[in-house]
Amino acid sequence: MTRPPGPLPADVRRRLATAYFGRRSYFYPETDSTNDAALSLAAAGEAEGTVVVADYQRRGRGRRAHAWSSPAGKDLLFSLILRPEGDARHALPVTLVAATAISVTLSKLLDVDVMVTWPNDVVTESGKVAGILAESASSGGRLAHVVVGIGVNVNASEADFAGDLRGRAASCRTLTGVEWDRAELLADLLGTIEAYYDRFKRDGFATLASAYEARLAQAGRMVWFEREGTRASGRVTGVSPDGALVVNLGDGRAIELYSEHVEVIA
Ligand code: BTN
């Protein structure tokens, strides 16, 4: 049964040190997808920085039509409503900004190397620890809003990573051997994401690109990707000022990838 949404639980609010992230909030014990809820709220005019949190999602979504499943009551599942200036292409750098902030926060807290894989995965040597799904709506060629949905594996155990995820996912708990306080972690994440997002809004992504590249697990690696039905490969050199992955094709040409699927070959 679904209980009605309420404000963020008090233990998150007590720890919040943000100006506007999480100051308006919806907490659902259970919902289909926090992104769906946030998209409806954003379309109805909800303020920038509003966060939608759930303890369990019945139909959590990832990129490329993948499901995002997480056991009830163990992890963090939340979506932020953002209203950056610009056209639809600004949704990509917002994902990279969030990935940088999450990777910085988790590295510091867990004392583990936490990297990013372009565009939206937050990973460690032991597997993926967080994922981001940004979905946007535009009006008259301008972005109306971006919903940044974030799933962080916090207290999931190895046994929770079944099927496809076995050996490819990690949680704060599997990485450190201890349980983590989800309220504290959420408050920390909202603080760091807000700080990076404010820099992005003030100075643009170009000034944050080097911070993202410093954590980019694919940097210098050979990758393959598919464009217009054709497979090609090249070496990753970094990201462009608008968040595209830059791949050197080895024949003097470099290509910028915005939405292609990329896999590391070597
Ligand atoms: C991915 O790695 O493909 C992205 C995963 C994003 C999952 C989060 S959980 C909160 C929010 N609600 C969703 O349905 N998806 C995102």
Side-chain angles (χ1 to χ4, degrees):
M1 194 177 76
T2 309
R3 277 180 278 153
L8 264 197
D11 39 358
V12 181
R13 262 182 296 143
R14 216 178 19 249
R15 291 176 165 95
L16 266 188
T18 55
Y20 59 112
F21 275 31
R23 295 292 163 189
R24 285 188 55 78
S25 58
Y26 294 78
F27 174 79
Y28 297 85
E30 185 176 331
T31 190
D32 281 344
S33 155
T34 56
N35 266 32
D36 290 345
L39 283 165
S40 305
L41 288 162
E46 189 54 81
E48 181 165 63
T50 299
V51 65
V52 178
V53 186
D55 223 19
Y56 179 69
Q57 295 184 129
R58 291 181 292 265
R59 286 189 202 86
R61 292 185 279 112
R63 280 182 81 242
R64 302 197 304 123
H66 286 143
W68 183 267
S69 55
S70 163
K74 290 195 175 181
D75 296 327
L76 279 176
L77 307 162
F78 63 103
S79 301
L80 277 161
I81 295 175
L82 302 179
R83 299 190 182 280
E85 297 276 310
D87 59 23
R89 282 169 72 135
H90 276 75
L92 174 62
V94 169
T95 300
L96 275 53
V97 167
T100 311
I102 296 165
S103 124
V104 166
T105 309
L106 294 182
S107 287
K108 207 176 325 162
L109 285 178
L110 310 183
D111 199 19
V112 167
D113 257 351
V114 182
M115 308 288 282
V116 295
T117 59
W118 184 90
N120 70 316
D121 287 352
V122 181
V123 298
T124 68
E125 293 252 294
S126 319
K128 175 164 165 173
V129 67
I132 302 165
L133 176 66
E135 296 179 296
S136 58
S138 302
S139 151
R142 312 295 294 167
L143 267 183
H145 53 260
V146 181
V147 162
V148 180
I150 299 170
V152 184
N153 300 329
V154 183
N155 291 318
S157 64
E158 291 290 357
D160 291 317
F161 300 133
D164 268 10
L165 292 180
R166 195 165 300 286
R168 298 177 52 218
S171 72
C172 300
R173 177 175 157 198
T174 63
L175 290 164
T176 59
V178 294
E179 293 246 338
W180 286 81
D181 181 329
R182 288 186 300 155
E184 201 169 325
L185 184 55
L186 178 57
D188 269 9
L189 285 168
L190 290 174
T192 323
I193 301 169
E194 180 185 87
Y196 276 81
Y197 178 66
D198 280 348
R199 260 182 74 184
F200 164 70
K201 283 209 299 188
R202 196 182 55 230
D203 304 327
F205 179 71
T207 62
L208 291 165
S210 58
Y212 183 84
E213 285 174 340
R215 319 192 77 86
L216 181 62
Q218 297 129 315
R221 308 285 298 271
M222 285 296 291
V223 294
W224 71 255
F225 58 91
E226 207 166 287
R227 177 168 276 191
E228 286 155 12
T230 310
R231 265 194 184 202
S233 61
R235 196 171 294 282
V236 173
T237 57
V239 288
S240 72
D242 58 356
L245 189 72
V246 183
V247 177
N248 189 329
L249 297 178
D251 57 2
R253 285 182 304 148
I255 194 165
E256 295 186 345
L257 307 180
Y258 285 89
S259 55
E260 291 80 355
H261 174 57
V262 174
E263 268 185 36
V264 170
I265 308 168

